[in-house]
């Protein structure tokens, strides 16, 4: 009981406040006459005569007209809400000073001057055209027009309207009038109206603020003979451009020749290729572990030594690198950049509490790896052409979708941009797959899942676009899906060079041996070269096979290398060395990366009235409202 009283009291309070606000406007409209003429092309020529009484000093009146409306239409026996974009043109204010501001949804006319205020009565006369587009419905045509919009902020004492029709209504046509607050589906204001075959008239008195009057009539198909339609030129232009680009991608893809990689039996890496190089060749990019693998490689080659610093419990605290000799320039810019960053402050470097400066050098080293593989040693050809075609095709298809709406040349711009993005993203992913397919596990299942999601998103975009498409839906779907097909073939545009084919065959052989090496063969290699395990360990790191590599040496008695010093009581073996190297080298870098990511996330965290329509009062073309300023 108490809750009911409380809710009723709250409702009454809000009603009182609303009425106080509504009627506290500093003006009212004493007389409002709307005269309209509807052409057979569905263009409404409007003249409004508005007499206003300003209670307080004001600059003048502003008039706001929506540039859109929604209508409930029956299509194939099903009701649907159809969105339309209108245009307002040929504005005339009959010598009254006016400034016009047009956004995507509203046109606003401000009548009066900013340097002048007045009180009392003033009459405004304005005329304009509302261009209503083709309804896109095959079943019938319709009139749906708000002679009075729901956005007037004052009361209206006398309102009269008269609409003349250039083309007579057929016998039996019923004109319905809705009035009242926005959304009312009855004549709430009891507006008196009448109609015949060539005109619709009506009048009302004492209309409260925020009330509308809308007329509606179903008409036979073809009543409007030549309604406005968005030009199809741009849609067809981009459709043709998209198809041409698609065919170009497919042609290049089918014509490209890809040499077969021959995997050879290898026990050592190719000459002149260090572990960081291998990490880059694997996927045409560099990760932290790729360049960090150079540290044990340099130790094995005699450029530095590694020693453990243990905590009180005898477990690893951090590693220390001791420089033995400088790195030769022939090692390359990437290697020298990292080596110099490690020993920029002396010949001893503790791998703990690394700073952002070191991470910057590490990233520079990763970027410089690409420079080694140019000219005769470049790994791929056609990458630039592939990227250009993928981007061009994505843009053309996106522009095509953006220009297919009946509601305006670029009314579908957000859909077009989204389509462009997902096409570009998928095409780029397909291109990137070329670089890693030789060394990585099969990506068949993830590729299928990703492809289904990609086609799903594109289909949703096309279904939304279809609702207002100015071109046949077969063309809309055909052009777009053809573009999607070309993205599947974008990887065919990139070819491995002869150098890459040869080097990849050798690296695949080495990777396979690291993975499945048999004990007798390992014993033979260790007998020939006691440091064989340490020679190959950096390469196992970039292949992601250190666990397999170290386990295969579990039964072999490896000697502690001269470059590694430990005071741990834990027995030394391959597994122990692998674990301490990873924890001592990779973990400090990961800690800095995590701290940077957290700081960036914290930085980003710190930085950082509706209208409806369709068969009811306040819907339809025209309408809007206004107020004083």
């Amino acid at each position: 009981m108490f809750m009911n009283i409380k809710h009723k009291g709250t409702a009454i309070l809000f009603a009182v406040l609303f009425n106080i606000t509504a009627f506290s406007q500093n003006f009212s409209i004493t007389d409002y006459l709307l005269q309209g003429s509807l052409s057979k092309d569905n263009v409404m020529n409007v003249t409004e005569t508005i007499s206003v009484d300003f209670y307080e000093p004001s600059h003048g009146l502003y008039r706001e007209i929506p540039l859109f409306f929604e209508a409930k239409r029956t299509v194939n026996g099903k009701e649907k809400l159809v969105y339309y974009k209108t245009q307002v043109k040929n504005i005339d204010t009959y010598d009254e000073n006016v400034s016009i501001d047009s956004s995507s949804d509203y046109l606003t006319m401000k009548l009066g001057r900013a340097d002048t205020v007045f009180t009392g009565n003033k009459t405004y006369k304005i005329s304009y055209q509302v261009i209503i587009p083709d309804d896109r419905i095959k079943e019938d045509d319709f009139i749906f027009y708000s002679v009075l919009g729901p956005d007037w902020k004052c009361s209206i004492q006398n309102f009269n309207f008269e609409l003349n029709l250039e083309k007579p209504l057929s016998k039996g046509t019923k004109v319905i009038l809705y009035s009242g607050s926005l959304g009312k589906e009855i004549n709430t204001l009891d507006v008196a109206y009448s109609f015949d075959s060539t005109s619709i008239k009506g009048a009302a008195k004492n209309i409260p603020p925020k009330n509308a009057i809308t007329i509606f009539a179903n008409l036979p198909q073809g009543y409007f003979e030549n309604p406005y339609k968005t030009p199809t030129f741009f849609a067809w232009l981009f459709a043709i451009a998209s198809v041409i680009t698609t065919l170009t991608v497919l042609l290049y893809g089918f014509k490209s020749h890809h040499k077969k990689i021959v995997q050879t039996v290898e026990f050592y890496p190719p000459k002149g290729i260090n572990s960081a190089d291998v990490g880059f060749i694997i996927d045409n990019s560099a990760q932290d572990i790729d360049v960090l693998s150079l540290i044990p490689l340099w130790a094995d080659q005699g450029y530095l030594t590694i020693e453990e610093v243990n905590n009180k419990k005898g477990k690893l605290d951090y590693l220390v690198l001791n420089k033995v000799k400088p790195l030769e320039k022939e090692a390359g810019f990437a290697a020298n950049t990292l080596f110099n960053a490690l020993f920029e402050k002396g010949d001893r470097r503790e791998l703990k509490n690394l700073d952002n400066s070191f991470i910057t050098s590490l990233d520079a080293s990763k970027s410089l790896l690409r420079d080694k593989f140019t000219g005769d040693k470049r790994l791929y050809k056609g990458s630039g052409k592939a990227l250009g075609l993928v981007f061009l095709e994505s843009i053309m298809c996106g522009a095509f979708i953006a220009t297919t709406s009946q509601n305006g040349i670029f009314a579908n711009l957000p859909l077009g941009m989204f389509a462009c993005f997902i096409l570009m993203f998928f095409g780029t992913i397909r291109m990137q797959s070329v670089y890693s397919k030789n060394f990585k596990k099969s990506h068949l299942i993830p590729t299928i899942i990703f492809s289904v999601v990609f086609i799903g998103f594109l289909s949703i975009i096309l279904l939304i676009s279809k609702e207002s498409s100015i071109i046949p839906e077969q063309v809309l779907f055909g052009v777009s899906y053809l573009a999607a097909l070309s993205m599947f073939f974008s990887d065919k545009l990139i070819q491995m060079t002869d150098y890459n084919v040869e080097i990849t065959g050798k690296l695949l052989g080495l990777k396979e041996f690291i993975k499945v090496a048999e004990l007798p063969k390992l014993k033979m290699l260790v007998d020939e070269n006691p440091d064989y395990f340490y020679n190959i360990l950096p390469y196992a790191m970039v292949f992601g096979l250190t666990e397999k590599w170290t386990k295969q040496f579990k039964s072999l008695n490896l000697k502690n290398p001269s470059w590694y010093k430990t005071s741990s009581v834990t027995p030394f073996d391959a597994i122990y060395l692998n674990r301490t190297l990873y924890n001592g080298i990779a973990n400090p870098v990961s800690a800095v990366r995590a701290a940077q990511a957290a700081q960036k996330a914290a930085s980003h965290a710190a930085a950082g009235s509706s209208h409806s329509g369709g068969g009811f009062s306040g819907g339809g073309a025209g309408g809007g409202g206004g107020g004083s300023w």
Side-chain angles (χ1 to χ4, degrees):
M1 178 71 178
F2 173 76
M3 291 300 294
N4 289 335
I5 294 174
K6 181 179 179 181
H7 288 164
K8 289 180 180 178
T10 303
I12 293 171
L13 176 61
F14 274 115
V16 171
L17 290 175
F18 172 79
N19 283 286
I20 290 175
T21 303
F23 289 100
S24 64
Q25 296 297 321
N26 62 352
F27 75 106
S28 67
I29 295 177
T30 55
D31 288 286
Y32 192 144
L33 172 63
L34 183 140
Q35 297 169 297
S37 174
L38 183 62
S39 75
K40 61 184 179 180
D41 296 334
N42 209 4
V43 176
M44 185 71 79
N45 297 280
V46 180
T47 299
E48 297 179 357
T49 306
I50 307 172
S51 297
V52 183
D53 185 6
F54 293 100
Y55 309 142
E56 298 177 4
S58 301
H59 299 288
L61 186 75
Y62 72 84
R63 177 75 171 91
E64 186 179 60
I65 305 173
L67 301 178
F68 70 97
F69 71 97
E70 293 175 322
K72 295 176 184 176
R73 307 302 296 146
T74 301
V75 182
N76 297 324
K78 295 182 179 180
E79 189 177 80
K80 62 185 293 187
L81 194 63
V82 185
Y83 180 86
Y84 299 99
K85 286 285 289 186
T86 58
Q87 302 177 56
V88 175
K89 292 187 174 181
N90 298 325
I91 297 171
D92 189 354
T93 57
Y94 300 90
D95 298 326
E96 182 70 36
N97 185 70
V98 64
S99 61
I100 300 174
D101 178 39
S102 180
S103 65
S104 61
D105 290 331
Y106 289 90
L107 181 140
T108 302
M109 294 176 274
K110 292 177 69 174
L111 300 119
R113 297 181 180 277
D115 58 356
T116 303
V117 294
F118 58 90
T119 57
N121 298 315
K122 186 173 179 61
T123 297
Y124 297 92
K125 186 176 182 179
I126 57 176
S127 63
Y128 54 89
Q129 285 183 326
V130 179
I131 300 173
I132 305 169
D134 179 58
D135 65 354
R136 312 193 296 273
I137 305 298
K138 296 180 181 179
E139 283 81 351
D140 51 29
D141 286 342
F142 68 102
I143 296 173
F144 188 28
Y145 194 87
S146 287
V147 291
L148 180 68
D151 297 323
W152 282 102
K153 296 177 172 57
C154 68
S155 60
I156 302 174
Q157 296 176 26
N158 295 290
F159 178 78
N160 292 271
F161 71 90
E162 179 178 352
L163 300 182
N164 295 308
L165 310 177
E166 180 182 2
K167 189 172 182 178
L169 298 175
S170 59
K171 187 176 181 180
T173 299
K174 183 178 180 180
V175 176
I176 303 171
L177 184 144
Y178 305 102
S179 70
S181 58
L182 181 65
K184 291 294 183 180
E185 298 184 359
I186 58 176
N187 185 4
T188 306
L189 300 177
D190 292 325
V191 177
Y193 75 102
S194 62
F195 63 92
D196 54 34
S197 62
T198 58
S199 66
I200 306 169
K201 303 176 182 179
K205 292 181 179 294
N206 300 319
I207 301 174
K210 299 289 186 178
N211 277 253
I213 299 174
T214 301
I215 58 173
F216 178 86
N218 274 316
L219 307 173
Q221 177 65 16
Y223 176 86
F224 295 114
E225 298 177 5
N226 188 30
Y228 173 80
K229 294 182 179 180
T230 301
T232 62
F233 172 78
F234 288 103
W236 285 108
L237 175 66
F238 287 121
I240 294 170
S242 180
V243 170
I244 291 174
T245 312
T246 295
L247 295 178
T248 302
V249 172
L250 296 177
L251 179 64
Y252 274 119
F254 286 126
K255 285 182 62 178
S256 62
H257 177 67
H258 298 269
K259 290 189 175 181
K260 186 178 180 180
I261 298 171
V262 179
Q263 181 176 314
T264 57
V265 179
E266 304 291 337
F267 308 123
Y268 286 92
K271 188 177 181 180
I273 300 294
N274 63 36
S275 58
D277 298 335
V278 173
F280 184 83
I281 293 170
I282 284 174
D283 54 11
N284 203 45
S285 63
Q287 283 72 47
D288 287 345
I289 193 62
D290 296 337
V291 290
L292 292 175
S293 70
L294 291 173
I295 293 176
L297 181 69
W298 290 330
D300 184 56
Q301 293 173 347
Y303 292 100
L304 56 84
T305 62
I306 303 174
E307 66 175 276
E308 294 180 19
V309 175
N310 297 320
N311 55 29
K312 294 180 180 180
K313 295 181 180 180
K315 294 186 177 181
L316 176 68
D317 191 2
Y318 59 90
L319 294 179
V320 175
L321 307 182
N322 297 292
K323 180 179 175 181
V324 175
K325 61 180 180 179
L327 194 65
E328 292 90 351
K329 291 184 179 180
E330 290 75 12
F333 290 116
N336 274 280
T337 297
L338 179 62
F339 193 87
N340 293 335
L342 286 170
F343 300 109
E344 62 181 349
K345 296 181 180 179
D347 293 343
R348 177 182 172 87
R349 179 61 181 256
E350 296 178 350
L351 294 183
K352 67 172 183 176
N353 301 325
L354 299 178
D355 55 18
N356 291 334
S357 175
F358 175 76
I359 298 300
T360 300
S361 298
L362 178 67
D363 290 338
S365 178
K366 288 159 56 177
S367 300
L368 290 168
L369 270 177
R370 185 178 297 275
D371 295 341
K372 185 172 183 176
F373 298 100
T374 56
D376 294 339
K377 291 186 177 182
R378 68 174 177 154
L379 302 176
Y380 297 93
K381 55 185 178 181
S383 301
K385 176 178 66 180
L387 188 63
L389 285 173
V390 165
F391 274 44
L392 181 61
E393 169 61 354
S394 301
I395 292 170
M396 290 299 102
C397 185
F400 164 65
I401 293 174
T403 54
T404 57
S405 175
Q406 173 70 35
N407 293 320
I409 294 178
F410 286 102
N412 277 348
L413 184 60
L415 293 175
M417 292 176 66
F418 187 44
C420 175
F421 170 76
I422 63 172
L423 285 167
M424 199 175 295
F425 181 70
F426 184 77
T428 304
I429 293 295
R430 291 292 298 163
M431 288 169 51
Q432 291 295 325
S433 68
V434 174
Y435 304 133
S436 60
K437 67 179 182 179
N438 296 315
F439 292 92
K440 302 294 183 181
K441 293 180 181 179
S442 174
H443 291 87
L444 180 60
I445 294 178
T447 299
I448 292 174
I449 295 174
F450 188 75
S451 300
V452 170
V453 173
F454 162 61
I455 294 299
F457 273 121
L458 184 60
S459 298
I460 292 172
I461 292 172
L462 296 178
L463 288 173
I464 297 173
S465 303
K466 185 185 76 168
E467 294 296 322
S468 62
S469 179
I470 56 176
I471 61 173
E473 64 180 75
Q474 295 87 345
V475 176
L476 175 66
F477 280 83
V479 171
S480 302
Y481 282 140
L482 193 62
L485 178 65
S486 72
M487 297 298 108
F488 281 94
F489 286 88
S490 61
D491 60 323
K492 304 297 183 184
L493 302 175
I494 302 174
Q495 302 173 52
M496 297 175 64
T497 62
D498 293 343
Y499 170 78
N500 194 8
V501 170
E502 178 185 358
I503 208 75
T504 295
K506 293 180 179 180
L507 291 178
L508 286 173
L510 178 62
K511 179 184 178 183
E512 185 66 16
F513 179 73
I514 293 173
K515 189 191 304 184
V516 300
E518 296 179 353
L519 188 60
K521 183 62 179 179
L522 289 176
K523 284 183 177 179
M524 185 184 73
L525 290 167
V526 172
D527 289 341
E528 293 175 358
N529 176 13
D531 292 327
Y532 180 70
F533 170 81
Y534 306 111
N535 294 163
I536 303 301
L537 180 61
Y539 299 89
M541 291 174 68
V542 297
F543 283 131
L545 296 172
T546 53
E547 287 191 11
K548 287 183 177 292
W549 184 239
T550 54
K551 285 180 180 179
Q552 289 166 349
F553 283 83
K554 190 173 182 180
S555 61
L556 297 177
N557 294 321
L558 291 178
K559 67 173 184 176
N560 187 344
S562 58
W563 49 264
Y564 192 85
K565 299 177 182 179
T566 177
S567 58
S568 174
V569 296
T570 304
F572 182 86
D573 61 12
I575 296 176
Y576 172 81
L577 177 65
N578 175 54
R579 184 172 66 249
T580 55
L581 282 177
Y582 185 85
N583 291 338
I585 296 175
N587 284 355
V589 173
S590 299
V592 180
R593 295 283 191 203
Q596 288 178 333
Q599 184 178 11
K600 186 176 181 180
S603 175
H604 283 301
S609 70
S610 65
H611 293 75
S612 59
F616 53 77
S617 175
S628 65
W629 67 285

